[in-house]
Amino acid sequence: MNNYETMAPYELRQLISSGQINGPTAGMAKGYTQANLAILKKEHAFDFLLFCQRNPKSCPLVDVTEVGSYIPSTIAKEADIRTDIPKYRIYRDGEFTEEVTDITEYWEEDMVAFLIGCSFTFETPLLEAGIPIRHIEENCNVPMYKTNIQCAKAGVFEGPTVVSMRPMSHEDAIRAIQITSRFPGVHGAPIHIGDPGQIGIIDLAKPDFGDAVTIKEGEIPVFWACGVTPQAVAMQSKPSIMITHAPGCMFISDLKDEKLSVL
């Protein structure tokens, strides 16, 4: 992966803002926290903050900017949220209208950016425990699915929980529960293991976001709450505008993973 795994976050953000990296960030800047993004106008910011507070598994906040500020100062003081993510998605009145690599021209003075913990953060300790991560092995994006698990409503915001899936052996799944339980700030333990139909997923080969991955004989799907949930919520709640990261294309922060571990 062009030594992206060992590069510093600020170096990767420079490559991203210059257009040299424009795809998924899984496996990059090993040991540093990656974050999902949701940007809203001030009129919707309190409702969304409340939504995150009521849905901490899907939307664990790691930073919220001041109104009008595009600098996530708590987790990356030198960053610019308008340029430092490989791809962004624009939703207008609940419709996904376009995907871009720079949102400078979309930024407005009354916008607030929410940085939400990402499950890529706990992949490093999973790998260190010898648990394979299939989408990294196959050099693709993690598969993500809308479920029948409804989020707790807050103001105008409501909708389904989105999950990310990683296939594992039964033994690895048990160990993964133990490891990821230490990271409540980045989704924590899985919310479902096994039969995808129980949470409303019809076909694992057809994810709603990301890419399908191989599930080998003897493996079971393990599902974590996912920070792409705000995108599904945007489609249902229809705020005038919501800007998000493109699934899998995260913000790479200066925050060390260990800061989000409870042990």
Side-chain angles (χ1 to χ4, degrees), residues 186-247:
V186 286
H187 307 301
I191 62 171
H192 185 70
I193 295 176
D195 183 5
Q198 291 185 353
I199 55 173
I201 301 171
I202 297 172
D203 188 350
L204 289 177
K206 296 179 179 179
D208 295 294
F209 308 93
D211 303 310
V213 296
T214 304
I215 301 178
K216 299 178 181 179
E217 185 176 353
E219 290 183 331
I220 53 174
V222 185
F223 300 93
W224 279 265
C226 178
V228 171
T229 295
Q231 299 187 32
V233 168
M235 288 182 242
Q236 182 166 325
S237 304
K238 305 184 187 328
S240 57
I241 186 169
M242 178 186 276
I243 302 174
T244 73
H245 66 293

Side-chain angles (χ1 to χ4, degrees), residues 14 18 23 59-60 65 77 101 118 124 129 147-149 165 167-168 171 181-182 189 230 237 239 247:
Q14 289 177 338
S18 65
C59 301
T65 66
K77 292 181 180 179
T101 57
C118 171
T124 296
T147 70
N148 58 13
I149 303 169
M165 187 279 292
M168 297 178 179
E171 293 82 2
S181 294
R182 296 168 42 213
S237 304

Side-chain angles (χ1 to χ4, degrees), residues 17 27 40 244:
S17 62
L40 290 153
T244 73

Side-chain angles (χ1 to χ4, degrees), residues 24 155 172 207 244 260:
D172 283 348
T244 73
L260 296 175

Side-chain angles (χ1 to χ4, degrees), residues 90-109:
I90 313 296
Y91 292 86
R92 297 185 186 276
D93 298 314
E95 296 292 327
F96 168 42
T97 59
E98 56 209 295
E99 191 168 88
V100 298
T101 57
D102 186 316
I103 59 165
T104 302
E105 66 180 271
Y106 298 88
W107 185 264
E108 299 178 34
E109 290 305 310

Side-chain angles (χ1 to χ4, degrees), residues 153-168:
K153 187 176 186 298
V156 301
F157 294 105
E158 60 182 321
T161 299
V162 174
V163 292
S164 61
M165 187 279 292
R166 294 160 184 79
M168 297 178 179

